[in-house]
Amino acid sequence: MATSRQFLTMVMALCLTCLGAIATAAVPPDQPYPWDTRSPKCRNFPELAATLVCAHEDWPTIEVTLERLTQLVSLGDYTMLDRALTEVSASDKRSLGGIPFDEASFYALYGWIESQRQLDPDVRWLARWKEQVPNSQFAPIAQAMFHKDQAWLIRGNGLASTVSPASWKLFEQQLVAARKALSLAPPASRNLPLWHRVLLSVSIDQRAAGNDASDVFRKAVARWPTYFRFYEIALYRLEPRWGGSWQLADDFINHWSRELATSEGDSMYARLYRTLIGSTFTPQTARMDWNRMKASFEDLVTRYPHPSFMNAYASYACMARDKEAYARASKRIKGDALNEDAWLSGYSPEACELWAASQR
């Protein structure tokens, strides 16, 4: 017969075994996100996660992802925000337009930086983030974005000739601070497209001798060839208003359309020319080939049937005064798919419909 001590030892061992089994079956997860209102059982028991009542997705669309990341930024729980940004950056999901969900991270952070310009000029929110998550991959990126935002507030959006020497000096100082923040980020940050996106933007803005923007761009697209924002950022700075020319822009578009033809067909030509919406180019000043543009738009809206591409196609067809292409493009814009922001200046849906009616 077992002694009292032996019996107690057996009971304790049995309890520890039971507790181990319970811990294995129900491991407490990280604190749930504020929009996750499911029963704790759904989160604690993996076998329930796949059931209909427990079905849940934190990042279902890029629009919802942006809304939820923006919500987390405003809450000030940077441990939770860092976890969310890590999950989004690891996702291979893309929007209907082919945009990685990682882009939502940039716009959530940038929106917050803009909103805090007057409310928190001392950037206390960034200090709290670094305090809560000392090794954050994302806080240094946000800091770089803050400095870049400050640089452009100092410079203004006018032509280079309108910027004073003192403003140029302060502009450069903020960009140097942005690069420093990126350079001090944890090594893992360099595995994030977001880190390279911000570095590219900062590099392009810097006017100092030895600017390495071209090298930054080549390395980024070599690693993430279909992260389309890299091309759009580079193309934006080739516009005449920023010291480039329409010929340089056209050469860039043609080159990268050829480089990505294997994976993207001819869709890059229209995708990149569409980036110039809002610019002051016309069919006479730009080097765009409308016949190629038309074929490229057909490829683009087939591969990526996003309403903004369909609207842009219709607007460009209107600008080219191509009646058949306009009819084809506008026919695709159904229901609430109309998006006036995607139309060229001077070629709005109303104006183009008036023109189209006159052709019937």
Side-chain angles (χ1 to χ4, degrees), residues 67-303:
E67 290 174 5
R68 290 177 173 177
L69 289 177
T70 300
Q71 179 183 359
L72 292 181
V73 177
S74 64
L75 288 176
D77 184 339
Y78 295 104
T79 300
M80 182 178 288
L81 173 63
D82 228 81
R83 169 159 57 96
L85 292 170
T86 300
E87 291 174 5
V88 172
S89 67
S91 171
D92 59 0
K93 294 176 67 175
R94 289 178 175 251
S95 72
L96 197 60
I99 305 302
F101 277 28
D102 187 56
E103 272 290 281
S105 301
F106 175 85
Y107 286 107
L109 293 175
Y110 185 70
W112 179 249
I113 289 167
E114 281 192 315
S115 72
Q116 296 301 298
R117 284 173 183 167
Q118 302 298 325
L119 298 176
D120 186 9
D122 296 325
V123 205
R124 292 185 296 271
W125 63 269
L126 187 56
R128 289 194 294 271
W129 190 345
K130 291 182 175 181
E131 181 181 348
Q132 291 180 29
V133 192
N135 295 315
S136 170
Q137 299 178 64
F138 299 95
I141 298 174
Q143 183 175 357
M145 292 172 62
F146 164 77
H147 286 299
K148 186 175 184 301
D149 181 65
Q150 290 296 301
W152 277 92
L153 284 176
I154 293 167
R155 184 203 180 283
N157 292 317
L159 297 175
S161 59
T162 67
V163 183
S164 70
S167 293
W168 275 127
K169 184 176 181 179
L170 294 171
F171 177 75
E172 292 288 343
Q173 286 176 357
Q174 289 292 337
L175 294 177
V176 168
R179 285 197 74 130
K180 183 178 180 180
L182 292 172
S183 70
L184 295 176
S189 299
R190 291 164 174 75
N191 293 321
L192 301 171
L194 181 61
W195 186 90
H196 290 266
R197 184 202 201 284
V198 176
L199 177 62
L200 175 61
S201 184
V202 170
S203 301
I204 287 176
D205 283 348
Q206 288 187 301
R207 304 164 72 239
N211 190 318
D212 63 344
S214 295
D215 187 49
V216 171
F217 171 76
R218 284 194 297 270
K219 287 180 179 177
V221 297
R223 189 165 182 183
W224 296 283
T226 58
Y227 196 94
F228 302 121
R229 198 66 75 197
F230 291 140
Y231 306 96
E232 294 170 359
I233 292 170
L235 177 60
Y236 180 65
R237 284 291 182 261
L238 293 178
E239 294 182 31
R241 58 178 167 171
W242 303 119
S245 70
W246 293 125
Q247 187 61 60
L248 285 173
D250 188 64
D251 290 344
F252 179 92
I253 291 171
N254 277 291
H255 173 78
W256 288 106
S257 295
R258 289 192 299 269
E259 287 292 311
L260 294 175
T262 301
S263 63
E264 299 302 313
D266 199 33
S267 65
M268 284 297 290
Y269 189 81
R271 181 188 284 276
L272 292 178
Y273 256 115
R274 173 192 169 272
T275 300
L276 302 177
I277 283 182
S279 301
T280 56
F281 81 91
T282 67
Q284 291 74 36
T285 58
R287 300 294 186 269
M288 182 187 76
D289 181 325
W290 170 244
N291 287 328
R292 184 178 178 191
M293 186 73 166
K294 178 167 53 176
S296 182
F297 257 126
E298 290 288 346
D299 192 8
L300 180 63
V301 298
T302 299
R303 291 172 183 270

